[in-house]
Amino acid sequence: MAKGVKPRVKVPKSASPGETITIKTLIRHKMESGQRKDKQGNPIPRSIINRFVVDFNGQNVIDVAMQPAISTNPYFQFDAVVPEAGEFTFTWYDDDGSVYTKSRKIKVG
Amino acid sequence: MELTRRDLLVLGSGALAAAGTGSLPAFATPTEDAIAALTGNAVPGEGVITLDAPEIAENGNTVPISVSAPGASLVALFADGNPVPDVAVIRFGPLNPTRTASTRIRLARTQNVIAVARMEDGSFQMARSAVKVTIGGCGG
Amino acid sequence: MTLGPGTTGALGVAAALLASASVLAGPGPDDDELVVNGEIRMVTETSPPAHVEGFDRIWSGWRFRTDETQAMQMDDFENPATLFVAAAAEVWSMADGGAGKSCASCHDDVSTMAGVKAVYPKWNPAAGEVRSIEMQVNHCRTNRMGAAAWRYDGAEMTNMVALLALVSRGMPVNVAIDGPARATWERGREMYYTRFGQLELSCANCHEDNYGNMIRADHLSQGHTNGFPAYRLENTRLVAVHSRFNGCVRDTRAHTFAPGSPEFVALELYVASRGNGLSVEGPSVRN
């Protein structure tokens, strides 16, 4: 597992039924592009987060396939509609096989 | 709008398609190849989706962009001056009402960022934004 | 133009270089207002302190950045520095060293440190020296915790300083330059106006004489330290103020001073004092 990978997500604590909310996510990751060389001139192997998925109560909100052109410490902002109370799950997939997850509950009413 | 060689190519391709040749000639750049592969050689329309990117990026390492593609099921992002033009493919799920997304990307030099959306009816839409990437101050 | 004590006869050479090779008239600071998280209102423009002669107004570096870079600092969920601050917040209450203590063992919640970053570097009477906040952190680690000192400009240290800055955000920078700190401040002032390197440039040549102008593609700020540690888009991590000094001196093609050196501590005190009255913005976002 890549060291120091820490996700942060911003989800409102509550929403009215059917409301559209905005979600922001940040995760600490080098996103080593595979295009760089070390001081000895050897290529530094690619090591990135290659996929980011957000679901709510089992239904998908967004599913992103990421390439090395995504900046270090990847940031995404997007909208979601909240039909009922429940839980958002956030999942990031690392090239090295690691999976980082975070979840956030939201109240409706 | 200033017509670039690429615009002319795309226009030319469109004309060929309109003439009923059924397929397009091979595109000239990896970005055009990638777009053609995504759309199955269909020429995307323009004017439905929007792509916001800074005219001048203060640093090419972290360039904020956002795409708004109402009615899209998927948006593919490309940077035509990067060593690898693919940036990301965003699939919008049923709980995504606005089909908008913002992220931050790397641009190796001044170039176009291009968004190609597959709409829910199977058609394609495109938007592009030219970004000037500046080199830094005294340190470079 | 205010000539400081270190200004030399090489003025013409560097001025010609600045004029012909790199510096173009720029638009100056913008008029945007900085409110972080919709609640922390920052002072990004004010009158210079009485001891600063080279400025009519002082502006935070934030006012010289593009709208896109500015926006990243306006919400903690867009500011990538917060990832590193979160890491430091965990370290805050993690015991380390022979005494089995953490920062929290003595200082409780980090919020009790509000205001501390705003007054550093600061004279330490017991030690008989001006100390940067990094020096104070390492003093705690080695003397109270029995832990190894962190590298002065290493990630652990810079993340911790960013956490200490975060709890002081919005408070005015207010470093003391009188009394026993005066001699160190004067050394810093001397350095600020001394031309370094093959390019024979002083801090003042860029940040006092040419702020608002473009040096190549970079919009020169007044070089205040209120935003440090800063998340630099160029480095994609937090950058300590001495690392920034190091980069500037290196870019004049000079042998530079080490992060944590007495020279850079003196320079930090002087440069911080030029921004007395601006809000602590750290961790900021800069290009």
Side-chain angles (χ1 to χ4, degrees):
Chain A
M1 173 168 161
K3 263 180 66 184
V5 177
K6 297 271 179 192
R8 293 191 79 211
V9 301
K10 183 188 198 180
V11 179
K13 287 192 168 57
S14 64
S16 29
E19 187 182 342
T20 296
I21 60 163
T22 297
I23 293 175
K24 296 179 181 185
T25 68
L26 260 177
I27 187 163
R28 185 170 163 186
H29 199 285
K30 276 183 73 116
M31 297 293 284
E32 187 62 57
S33 68
Q35 300 283 339
R36 301 197 309 156
K37 289 181 174 165
D38 66 16
K39 282 177 183 149
Q40 283 77 46
N42 305 310
I44 303 173
R46 169 184 138 153
S47 175
I48 68 165
I49 291 174
N50 57 53
R51 190 175 171 213
F52 171 52
V53 180
V54 181
D55 293 322
F56 179 75
N57 289 354
Q59 276 201 291
N60 184 249
V61 178
I62 199 166
D63 185 342
V64 186
M66 294 157 66
Q67 296 289 338
I70 298 293
S71 302
T72 306
N73 303 323
Y75 168 83
F76 281 95
Q77 180 187 320
F78 49 90
D79 294 335
V81 68
V82 186
E84 73 262 337
E87 189 172 59
F88 283 98
T89 58
F90 302 83
T91 314
W92 293 260
Y93 297 88
D94 195 306
D95 272 353
D96 70 5
S98 306
V99 177
Y100 318 107
T101 58
K102 190 130 185 150
S103 55
R104 276 280 182 282
K105 287 195 167 67
I106 187 165
K107 287 181 199 148
V108 163
Chain B
M1 180 181 129
E2 198 179 60
L3 280 182
T4 63
R5 179 174 158 273
R6 187 164 306 113
D7 290 319
L8 292 171
L9 266 177
V10 170
L11 284 174
S13 309
L16 277 177
T21 59
S23 71
L24 299 177
F27 282 93
T29 69
T31 305
E32 286 152 354
D33 284 344
I35 294 172
L38 175 71
T39 64
N41 288 337
V43 177
E46 294 193 39
V48 170
I49 71 170
T50 55
L51 174 66
D52 281 334
E55 202 177 320
I56 299 175
E58 222 164 5
N59 192 292
N61 277 342
T62 314
V63 182
I65 61 162
S66 50
V67 63
S68 174
S73 57
L74 170 157
V75 171
L77 296 167
F78 303 96
D80 71 3
N82 275 0
V84 178
D86 307 75
V87 174
V89 178
I90 302 166
R91 287 180 174 77
F92 296 106
L95 290 185
N96 191 308
T98 55
R99 312 294 155 113
T100 65
S102 305
T103 186
R104 296 168 184 164
I105 67 171
R106 293 169 168 154
L107 297 178
R109 57 184 172 87
T110 294
Q111 58 185 288
N112 295 303
V113 180
I114 300 163
V116 180
R118 186 168 71 210
M119 311 307 285
E120 274 158 352
D121 66 3
S123 67
F124 291 90
Q125 286 287 327
M126 172 163 130
R128 94 178 72 202
S129 196
V131 181
K132 260 187 208 146
V133 175
T134 59
I135 41 171
C138 42
Chain C
M1 176 170 173
T2 306
L3 297 184
T7 308
T8 71
L11 180 70
V13 177
L17 179 107
L18 280 166
S20 67
S22 353
V23 176
L24 290 171
D30 67 14
D31 293 325
D32 294 343
E33 283 184 29
L34 175 55
V35 181
V36 174
N37 298 335
E39 56 186 36
I40 310 173
R41 187 167 290 277
M42 301 285 188
V43 174
T44 58
E45 173 179 356
T46 188
S47 301
H51 59 266
V52 175
E53 291 167 0
F55 296 143
D56 297 327
R57 298 289 285 167
I58 56 174
W59 289 277
S60 162
W62 184 84
R63 296 277 293 274
F64 294 83
R65 304 277 55 89
T66 61
D67 288 351
E68 292 83 13
T69 307
Q70 288 181 334
M72 284 188 211
Q73 197 186 318
M74 298 178 76
D75 181 334
D76 281 352
F77 282 87
E78 296 190 26
N79 182 346
T82 56
L83 292 165
F84 301 88
V85 168
E90 282 182 23
V91 172
W92 179 262
S93 50
M94 211 182 282
D96 192 9
K101 286 182 178 174
S102 69
C103 305
S105 307
C106 294
H107 296 290
D108 297 321
D109 190 84
V110 69
S111 60
T112 63
M113 306 301 278
V116 172
K117 179 69 173 67
V119 298
Y120 269 83
K122 186 183 171 188
W123 176 257
N124 183 304
E129 63 181 359
V130 169
R131 280 188 177 166
S132 65
I133 201 161
E134 285 91 343
M135 292 164 74
Q136 196 57 45
V137 168
N138 265 344
H139 178 83
C140 278
R141 288 186 57 80
T142 54
N143 290 43
R144 294 181 187 273
M145 297 166 66
W150 280 328
R151 191 161 71 88
Y152 191 90
D153 57 347
E156 289 116 327
M157 178 65 87
T158 307
N159 294 353
M160 185 56 72
V161 174
L163 174 65
L164 293 168
L166 185 98
V167 298
S168 291
R169 280 193 304 190
M171 302 172 84
V173 175
N174 186 23
V175 296
I177 63 168
D178 51 357
R182 188 77 189 181
T184 305
W185 181 81
E186 281 174 357
R187 270 204 304 284
R189 183 171 187 271
E190 172 82 23
M191 278 185 75
Y192 190 87
Y193 289 101
T194 299
R195 292 167 179 277
F196 288 97
Q198 290 176 324
L199 296 184
E200 299 187 88
L201 289 172
S202 71
C203 307
N205 290 141
C206 286
H207 295 290
E208 187 169 286
D209 305 338
N210 277 293
Y211 69 82
N213 293 334
M214 304 296 289
I215 185 161
R216 292 175 72 202
D218 194 10
H219 193 200
L220 279 168
S221 74
Q222 291 181 329
H224 295 297
T225 57
N226 61 310
F228 280 88
Y231 184 89
R232 289 195 70 202
L233 303 181
E234 179 175 333
N235 307 85
T236 61
R237 61 177 165 76
L238 282 170
V239 172
V241 69
H242 286 200
S243 303
R244 180 67 275 214
F245 289 167
N246 186 75
C248 274
V249 178
R250 182 201 59 214
D251 291 345
T252 70
R253 302 185 195 162
H255 286 293
T256 181
F257 303 95
S261 62
E263 290 86 354
F264 274 170
V265 173
L267 183 62
E268 184 186 350
L269 175 63
Y270 177 68
V271 178
S273 81
R274 294 168 67 90
N276 270 356
L278 295 173
S279 297
V280 174
E281 271 178 41
S284 67
V285 180
R286 300 287 186 263
N287 57 316

